[in-house]
Amino acid sequence: MDGNDTTNTPRIVNVTVASSMGAYLLRTQELGAVEGPEGSLALHPALQPVLEALHHVLAGGEVAVHVLRSGNPDIVAELDRRAAYATQEANILNRVSGSSLTTTV
């Protein structure tokens, strides 16, 4: 739903993303970004403050993020690489297609 949608009717939309973006999103799910059974998935509670901070930035606010305990450095590096590659691939696809068909991390 967009910000102007006043209906509460769920509907499926097709969103085109770079394949590496899809792989990145799947990997974040594998690592626990969402939890719960199918049909009842929810954002992992530890990510809720991150999402709230994102919303404040998008609404013109300013936030500070502090890592309290470092995660597995190999997984952090993997996710960094995946995000960077997804952004690079999306930019290439946008350039060659002449329109914005993909998203970035």
Side-chain angles (χ1 to χ4, degrees), residues 23-98:
Y24 171 80
L25 292 172
L26 287 173
R27 183 64 173 132
T28 63
Q29 283 189 297
E30 290 171 358
L31 292 168
V34 293
E35 58 186 16
E38 290 294 326
S40 297
L41 290 174
L43 186 67
H44 189 287
L47 291 174
Q48 193 60 44
V50 177
L51 184 63
E52 182 180 344
L54 170 66
H55 292 171
H56 280 278
V57 169
L58 294 174
E62 184 177 338
V63 300
V65 177
H66 303 281
V67 176
L68 301 177
R69 181 182 42 170
S70 295
N72 178 310
D74 293 333
I75 295 174
V76 171
E78 172 200 351
L79 292 173
D80 287 345
R81 280 191 309 273
R82 286 177 179 267
Y85 183 69
T87 298
Q88 178 184 26
E89 186 179 60
N91 284 324
I92 290 168
L93 292 170
N94 286 335
R95 243 186 334 270
V96 299
S97 72

